[in-house]
């Protein structure tokens, strides 16, 4: 399953520090951060995740993001996902 997350960032400095310290190699098996980007004013970020379930993603976000942002999570239609280096879902 794919999920998009719009993060409303509470503190841009803390957000950037979190990104620098994040060890994506410790993500649970089956959890992939496909893409991420942060707005130039560090007010929002957008991420695309491939995960087994929303519950798994919520746990990952709790650990990784914590209270650094408010997370608006939404399911993404797999047929619409295009990520460079990854084949489009059929």
């Amino acid at each position: 399953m794919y999920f998009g997350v719009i993060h409303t960032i509470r503190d841009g400095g803390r957000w950037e520090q979190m990104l620098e310290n994040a060890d994506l190699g410790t993500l649970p098996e089956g959890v992939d951060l496909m893409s991420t980007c942060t707005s130039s004013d560090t007010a929002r970020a957008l991420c695309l995740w491939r995960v087994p379930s929303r519950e798994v993603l919520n746990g990952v976000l709790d650990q990784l993001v914590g209270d650094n942002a408010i997370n608006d999570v939404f399911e993404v239609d797999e047929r619409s996902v295009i990520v460079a280096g990854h084949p489009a879902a059929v």
Side-chain angles (χ1 to χ4, degrees), residues 18-29 31-36 47 49 60 64:
M18 180 213 53
L19 290 176
E20 289 175 15
N21 295 325
D23 182 0
L24 299 180
T26 62
L27 292 174
E29 186 170 333
V31 174
D32 296 305
L33 176 59
M34 306 299 294
S35 177
T36 187
C47 295
W49 293 87
V60 168
L64 187 63

Side-chain angles (χ1 to χ4, degrees), residues 14-71:
R14 280 184 36 208
W15 180 263
E16 294 205 5
Q17 185 176 36
M18 180 213 53
L19 290 176
E20 289 175 15
N21 295 325
D23 182 0
L24 299 180
T26 62
L27 292 174
E29 186 170 333
V31 174
D32 296 305
L33 176 59
M34 306 299 294
S35 177
T36 187
C37 57
T38 302
S39 63
S40 57
D41 64 359
T42 322
R44 290 181 307 262
L46 176 65
C47 295
L48 177 65
W49 293 87
R50 183 171 49 197
V51 294
S53 69
R54 180 185 290 262
E55 292 76 21
V56 169
L57 178 58
N58 287 340
V60 168
L61 292 175
D62 286 347
Q63 289 185 323
L64 187 63
V65 176
D67 67 349
N68 286 328
I70 298 168
N71 305 311

